[in-house]
Amino acid sequence: MPSRVSSPSLSEQFYCNDSSSVSSMSSRRHLYDHSSMSCRSSTSQDCSHPNFSFPLPPSQPTSSSRGRGLRSKPSKPTLIKTLSPPQPTTRSRAASFGKRTRPHATPVVPSHDEIAFPVSYEDAWAGSRYGESAVADGRTDLDRARIFITRFISMSSNNPWVNAELRDIITNRELCRSVAHVVWAVMHRVFGNRHADFGVTPLVQAMRFILIKANIPAEVDMCEKARQVVDFFFDPTLHRNLEPLPCEELVIYKYPVGRLRVCIVGGGPTGLASAISLAEKGGGSIEVHVWERRWVRDERTGEVGHPLNARRRDQVVTLQDSVTDLLTPKSFQALFAGRPERVWPGSANIQIRKVEDRFLKRCQDDDLRGLIHLHAEGVTREELKNGKCGDFHVLLGTDGAASWVRRDYFRGYEKERGRSYALGLAFDRGSAGGLPWSQPLNMFLTLGQTRYLLNASDHDGKGYLNMQLTEDEWHKMVGVDGEPVHFGSPGCFRREDGSIPEGFSENRVFKPSEHRDSSLWKSIEDGLKLFGFKESEVINVVRIPIVVQAVREGVQQLPLEDARFVRRPHALVAVAGDAAMTVHFWPGRGLNSGIKAGIAFGDELVHALNRGEFAGLPLSSMKHYNDFILKLQDREHDKRSIPILNQSGTPETLDWLLKQASSVPDNVAIDWLVGAMTQIADRLEQREDWYFKPEINVEAQIRIVLRQMHSLTLREMAVSFPWPTREMAGAEVLPCRSAKPEPPETCKKAEQRWLQQLWGIISKEPSAERRPRLPGSASGGSNGRFEAPRFTVSTLRSKSSSPKLRNGGFVDDKPRPPMPMGHPLMAQQGMGPGVSSGSPPGSLRRSNASKRGGSISSLPVPSEFGAAETGAMGGRQRSVSVNTGAQGQEAGSDGGLTRLMSVKRQPNQTMLCEAMALALFGVGE
């Protein structure tokens, strides 16, 4: 097993001792002519493959030879071996020697982890056929290496220049201080430190034989020069043996594979997860270099980290248990610091910046030190061409959605599936800590609509509030200077006293916040009210483009013009994370996919390395990783991102839905939202993996929250549809080599749930008054956030191919999204069960909403909402959807907004049964 060494420089000039004597070699870049050398034992062209026979070797204990006979001491030109590797005899052979083949035995071809040499090599090394005098003659490994090369020259038919170089090396005392020095000089002066092809020649085999006999690959404490020659001559991409094999008796050794070098561009969560996976599973046979321009190196400690004052990614993500279970116990402990925050079923919430910081710290743990090398600087394609990254076998691009690796090396292999727009509000509650509402209530409010999305941590009160945008709203996401607000240059809100927060200039003030009557600002304001946040808790605002795209192939061959500093004919390039595929983050699978891809990359690379599949460095060596990426794309795009885009995620669809919102009656919008959210709560709380205690008065809490918002915002939320999470549910795509098998009890429970569901469908009650829940549906085996609404009722349309909306709606012929039974837009058209014959179909003006005095007096109202009603939030007066009439009496009819939100007013039974059961949960299926 190759040893781990301290972080090496990428230069070729590394020496065990004084390197001045060989400093001139780096300029002599001679390329060895592979076709000019042949071995006498393989010159016969008409011989068949030799026969092999192996007498069984005796059982012998393996003895350690650390530090013995491997290199010279500084005070002596050579080191006398005190324990030479045992030599084969007619009766027994050492374990390190392996096998001896006989020419007339049954033909045996060496396996992928074995290397065969002519027995004449043994004679040339030991001085006698079976090496009886190997120890007694007192020769050192250096002496034997020089004698061996001399005999090799006399036996070979090299061109005169190669023989002259070899003679000069073995006669130069400065170059012959150790076996490693001799082979290192051959590597530079004859081969030019580069392999012209992946095949092997007799000279390559001769150098391999010398290294094996000197026991250098087995040395744990080898010097850097020895490490370099082992990696060069035992490169995992080179073939193991001559083709055809020599037609004489052979000796076979275990092939000591050199290190595989992986260069990772991008030090985000995916890049760090990939590096950790490679280092943990490679067993010291893989050397990883990670390049990231956002890092800085502490000059005092040498540790790599992020600058203290840097703008970081504040989003909170949901990591699925099915993904984090793939991590080793040490990496899992490092990721969550022993305290995973449970929110959604089967998952844990964590801030992206914490994932980066903790994975970065894990890369610098003692057990990975020397395997992962962190470079606090970026890499461009031009710098890669000029040798900044040195030598590598595989280049992995994890440089994000704007990846230059994907753009430059996968051109023509990209495909875009859809596009969406969103804004992001980063918040930090500071000393207040925690979140205004409980995490269960936040989930119910999030899943009942798709206009707003909250991902936050209750541990520290930090997170992100997102809102989907139309095309028009997207272009309004600018500062007062008219420049867009984005992650590189975010916007801010003014403080209550009108000042600018630290780190921002006047130009970066968010322009819509200066125009409080604009529809965009009212939507943002209501988004904060929906989850109980104050304007003063927002630390920045950005607009976020969501482009659902992917590469058609995950692995390619690096162009030759970029491989000038690669020490073999070519290298491979792969992509992972957002560089390989970007998803719609509403379903919350972007970081999960990146970590899975990083783990899969490590799995498949190590698997191919252990099986010798990297010989010749073909694309097929990474076929399994490429297949995984394509399967992951199919799962995340077709089953998660596309359903969101089809429902309300595209700017065009969202714009059309929001224009119809003004025509939806209040009673329909409120009943739809409350009904959807309460039934979602009911389903979630019955799941076996539900983490929280059941919420008390869920419907009351939801109505208290919604009563603070503008009526138009509520109608926009209603027409945006609940999450299509049933369409998103299903089996996860996981790296098969890291996935842990399900315990028998889990499989048995899954089988029982399936039988219960089947029985529920067969024996469901025919009564229209009560729609039965599918047994077991509340605790399905999905790895999704939860099993919830899927629209299965056929869309009601007019006789024309596209719906003609009445009562002031659109009358064009453009295709519109299908509407489920009971959806507010169906009720607006007079076709749904949620509108009585006397209900006005037109839009509801804010003046029509009134406050019902005393309707919720028995329920506590959060202080944040009390402040909002008095206009105390942010020091500016806000208009809300409830207006007090004379003597506090209602000014509207039964369809009034506040009365519908009253706890005493129960939703219409027909509305809930038909709209919720049929449209949302598809029980009719």
Side-chain angles (χ1 to χ4, degrees):
M1 185 72 67
S3 65
R4 295 200 299 266
V5 295
S6 59
S7 176
S9 167
L10 295 177
S11 169
E12 298 172 355
Q13 301 302 318
F14 279 90
Y15 307 95
C16 299
N17 304 307
D18 181 18
S19 61
S20 60
S21 61
V22 288
S23 60
S24 62
M25 294 181 188
S26 60
S27 61
R28 302 180 64 174
R29 308 287 294 181
H30 304 295
L31 288 180
Y32 168 59
D33 183 2
H34 292 262
S35 62
S36 65
M37 174 173 281
S38 61
C39 182
R40 290 180 179 177
S41 61
S42 60
T43 54
S44 176
Q45 300 299 319
D46 56 352
C47 65
S48 59
H49 287 286
N51 295 328
F52 299 82
S53 65
F54 309 105
L56 291 176
S59 175
Q60 297 181 6
T62 13
S63 58
S64 173
S65 59
R66 176 182 298 188
R68 298 175 179 176
L70 301 177
R71 60 183 180 189
S72 305
K73 290 183 178 180
S75 59
K76 296 181 180 180
T78 61
L79 174 66
I80 303 300
K81 286 179 67 66
T82 59
L83 181 61
S84 300
Q87 302 300 314
T89 67
T90 56
R91 300 182 59 183
S92 65
R93 297 177 303 277
S96 63
F97 203 88
K99 311 170 186 176
R100 177 186 295 273
T101 70
R102 300 190 182 277
H104 300 295
T106 305
V108 175
V109 177
S111 65
H112 66 84
D113 61 345
E114 294 177 337
I115 182 170
F117 300 106
V119 73
S120 57
Y121 281 19
E122 288 290 331
D123 298 337
W125 179 267
S128 63
R129 184 172 180 82
Y130 298 110
E132 289 85 350
S133 61
V135 178
D137 62 9
R139 293 174 182 166
T140 66
D141 283 341
L142 178 59
D143 295 333
R144 297 180 185 280
R146 296 170 66 184
I147 295 172
F148 179 85
I149 294 176
T150 301
R151 295 185 179 182
F152 180 84
I153 294 173
S154 65
M155 294 168 58
S156 65
S157 57
N158 292 331
N159 64 47
W161 176 83
V162 172
N163 289 337
E165 288 292 317
L166 292 176
R167 289 192 184 95
D168 183 60
I169 290 171
I170 61 177
T171 56
N172 189 326
R173 295 184 60 87
E174 291 296 325
L175 302 181
C176 290
R177 288 177 290 169
S178 70
V179 173
H181 281 80
V182 172
V183 182
W184 190 87
V186 174
M187 178 181 75
H188 279 272
R189 294 179 56 168
V190 178
F191 289 91
N193 201 22
R194 192 177 191 276
H195 293 289
D197 56 56
F198 294 108
V200 296
T201 63
L203 181 56
V204 172
Q205 293 297 80
M207 294 301 105
R208 288 173 169 179
F209 183 80
I210 291 174
L211 291 170
I212 289 175
K213 296 300 290 185
N215 211 28
I216 290 180
E219 168 62 8
V220 176
D221 190 27
M222 72 174 68
C223 64
E224 182 58 29
K225 190 184 296 294
R227 178 78 269 176
Q228 286 187 24
V229 297
V230 169
D231 289 344
F232 181 81
F233 286 104
F234 295 101
D235 191 307
T237 64
L238 297 183
H239 292 288
R240 283 14 178 191
N241 294 288
L242 291 168
E243 295 181 1
L245 288 171
C247 298
E248 61 177 276
E249 188 177 355
L250 301 174
V251 289
I252 297 178
Y253 288 88
K254 184 81 172 176
Y255 186 81
V257 183
R259 293 177 300 181
L260 189 84
R261 288 185 174 86
V262 179
C263 175
I264 299 178
V265 178
T270 300
L272 294 173
S274 303
I276 293 170
S277 176
L278 290 166
E280 289 179 334
K281 297 167 184 174
S285 60
I286 299 176
E287 179 183 298
V288 186
H289 292 262
V290 188
W291 300 79
E292 174 56 61
R293 60 180 175 81
R294 296 177 298 155
W295 295 339
V296 294
R297 187 178 295 276
D298 190 315
E299 295 181 358
R300 183 176 58 86
T301 64
E303 297 291 317
V304 172
H306 291 87
L308 296 178
N309 58 349
R311 282 199 177 100
R312 303 287 304 282
R313 302 173 70 181
D314 297 299
Q315 300 99 310
V316 171
V317 295
T318 301
L319 292 181
Q320 303 298 310
D321 289 347
S322 61
V323 176
T324 55
D325 286 347
L326 302 172
L327 301 173
T328 62
K330 284 187 177 181
S331 295
F332 182 88
Q333 173 68 21
L335 176 61
F336 292 111
R339 192 187 173 202
E341 182 180 4
R342 297 295 179 182
V343 182
W344 304 95
S347 62
N349 274 19
I350 188 171
Q351 222 174 356
I352 291 182
R353 64 189 301 167
K354 291 182 180 178
V355 177
E356 292 180 329
D357 290 341
R358 292 171 182 178
F359 273 169
L360 188 57
K361 184 178 179 182
R362 170 69 181 131
C363 288
Q364 300 173 86
D365 283 350
D366 291 339
D367 60 323
L368 301 183
R369 196 173 298 274
L371 301 177
I372 301 176
H373 308 277
L374 305 175
H375 303 269
E377 50 186 320
V379 175
T380 65
R381 183 179 183 182
E382 195 63 30
E383 290 172 330
L384 183 75
K385 285 182 180 180
N386 294 329
K388 184 175 184 178
C389 297
D391 179 40
F392 56 85
H393 298 84
V394 182
L395 175 69
L396 178 64
T398 60
D399 45 343
S403 168
W404 70 261
V405 176
R406 182 191 66 242
R407 183 191 67 236
D408 290 350
Y409 299 139
F410 292 82
R411 189 182 303 275
Y413 287 89
E414 300 172 280
K415 57 181 178 180
E416 182 175 323
R417 304 289 301 277
R419 186 178 292 265
S420 185
Y421 298 130
L423 70 79
L425 297 172
F427 56 83
D428 184 351
R429 302 199 73 218
S431 59
L435 298 174
W437 313 148
S438 67
Q439 287 285 32
L441 183 58
N442 289 333
M443 281 186 276
F444 307 153
L445 295 171
T446 295
L447 294 171
Q449 44 77 45
T450 54
R451 176 69 156 163
Y452 301 100
L453 169 68
L454 176 70
N455 270 313
S457 171
D458 200 30
H459 285 177
D460 52 18
K462 298 178 181 179
Y464 236 68
L465 172 62
N466 297 107
M467 184 179 87
Q468 290 204 89
L469 300 176
T470 65
E471 185 88 29
D472 181 62
E473 291 172 334
W474 168 261
H475 293 297
K476 293 178 181 178
M477 294 288 297
V478 296
V480 294
D481 59 355
E483 293 297 319
V485 292
H486 50 80
F487 285 114
S489 181
C492 66
F493 298 160
R494 292 185 186 274
R495 295 194 179 107
E496 294 183 6
D497 59 3
S499 62
I500 308 297
E502 291 183 14
F504 294 92
S505 63
E506 182 76 25
N507 291 338
R508 289 288 83 195
V509 174
F510 188 49
K511 188 174 182 179
S513 67
E514 302 289 281
H515 303 277
R516 302 267 163 162
D517 293 331
S518 66
S519 60
L520 176 58
W521 175 253
K522 290 184 182 297
S523 296
I524 295 173
E525 184 182 52
D526 280 342
L528 293 171
K529 293 178 183 178
L530 179 63
F531 298 102
F533 296 110
K534 299 177 181 178
E535 185 182 328
S536 59
E537 294 168 345
V538 176
I539 56 178
N540 67 60
V541 55
V542 297
R543 70 179 192 180
I544 309 170
I546 307 173
V547 181
V548 180
Q549 65 178 4
V551 293
R552 292 186 176 91
E553 299 292 339
V555 184
Q556 291 292 317
Q557 193 176 106
L558 191 72
L560 294 179
E561 61 268 22
D562 292 1
R564 290 184 301 161
F565 286 85
V566 172
R567 296 172 185 172
R568 58 204 59 81
H570 67 259
L572 298 182
V573 55
V575 284
D578 285 348
M581 54 179 287
T582 53
V583 300
H584 200 298
F585 62 73
W586 241 248
R589 287 299 195 277
L591 186 54
N592 286 274
S593 299
I595 293 177
K596 286 193 288 188
I599 293 174
F601 181 81
D603 285 347
E604 301 305 337
L605 190 144
V606 172
H607 178 73
L609 181 63
N610 292 338
R611 292 173 60 89
E613 295 175 1
F614 272 107
L617 204 55
L619 286 174
S620 59
S621 61
M622 296 298 293
K623 177 183 181 300
H624 294 296
Y625 173 72
N626 187 68
D627 293 344
F628 174 82
I629 287 295
L630 298 183
K631 290 178 183 177
L632 188 63
Q633 289 176 8
D634 179 69
R635 178 67 178 96
E636 300 303 329
H637 281 182
D638 295 345
K639 304 298 176 58
R640 287 200 172 99
S641 295
I642 300 303
I644 283 286
L645 288 172
N646 290 341
Q647 179 172 289
S648 61
T650 64
E652 298 79 13
T653 301
L654 184 62
D655 182 66
W656 181 83
L657 289 171
L658 297 187
K659 286 179 179 177
Q660 311 314 305
S662 59
S663 303
V664 174
D666 273 359
N667 62 330
V668 175
I670 298 304
D671 282 350
W672 177 268
L673 287 172
V674 174
M677 293 174 181
T678 53
Q679 291 206 33
I680 287 170
D682 183 46
R683 289 176 61 85
L684 280 174
E685 289 179 343
Q686 293 186 49
R687 285 182 59 117
E688 293 178 357
D689 54 358
W690 181 246
Y691 180 75
F692 304 95
K693 295 180 180 180
E695 285 286 306
I696 301 175
N697 294 330
V698 172
E699 183 179 331
Q701 293 187 65
I702 292 173
R703 290 180 181 275
I704 291 173
V705 171
L706 297 181
R707 69 186 289 267
Q708 305 301 309
M709 303 171 67
H710 297 96
S711 63
L712 180 59
T713 301
L714 295 173
R715 284 175 280 174
E716 290 176 347
M717 290 168 57
V719 300
S720 69
F721 299 95
W723 282 41
T725 45
R726 274 194 181 245
E727 296 179 17
M728 299 176 187
E732 296 290 336
V733 174
L734 298 173
C736 61
R737 305 191 198 281
S738 289
K740 300 176 177 62
E742 291 286 348
E745 57 272 15
T746 303
C747 298
K748 188 174 182 179
K749 288 181 180 179
E751 181 181 353
Q752 291 175 348
R753 284 196 298 266
W754 181 83
L755 291 174
Q756 288 175 349
Q757 291 174 355
L758 180 62
W759 174 251
I761 294 174
I762 295 174
S763 61
K764 65 179 181 180
E765 298 178 16
S767 172
E769 291 297 322
R770 183 179 179 183
R771 304 284 179 176
R773 178 187 307 280
L774 295 180
S777 63
S779 59
S782 168
N783 285 323
R785 284 184 172 173
F786 81 111
E787 289 188 343
R790 178 173 59 182
F791 300 124
T792 58
V793 179
S794 301
T795 304
L796 295 179
R797 297 179 180 271
S798 62
K799 293 183 179 180
S800 62
S801 60
S802 59
K804 309 285 187 178
L805 300 185
R806 311 173 201 167
N807 306 318
F810 285 142
V811 294
D812 58 65
D813 292 328
K814 295 180 180 179
R816 303 302 179 193
M819 302 296 166
M821 179 68 72
H823 188 269
L825 292 186
M826 299 300 292
Q828 175 234 346
Q829 299 176 58
M831 294 184 289
V835 181
S836 62
S837 58
S839 299
S843 62
L844 177 67
R845 300 181 179 87
R846 288 193 173 90
S847 60
N848 292 340
S850 60
K851 183 176 181 180
R852 176 175 179 145
S855 63
I856 55 174
S857 58
S858 61
L859 295 173
V861 178
S863 59
E864 286 87 346
F865 284 150
E869 289 189 45
T870 60
M873 184 183 292
R876 301 173 187 268
Q877 184 65 32
R878 307 283 202 280
S879 62
V880 294
S881 61
V882 289
N883 298 314
T884 306
Q887 289 90 34
Q889 301 297 319
E890 292 180 355
S893 62
D894 288 347
L897 179 62
T898 307
R899 181 170 180 174
L900 282 169
M901 287 191 292
S902 166
V903 177
K904 296 182 179 180
R905 170 68 184 272
Q906 296 298 325
N908 180 275
Q909 182 67 21
T910 303
M911 173 70 171
L912 288 182
C913 287
E914 296 296 330
M916 295 293 99
L918 286 177
L920 290 179
F921 301 107
V923 176
E925 185 179 274

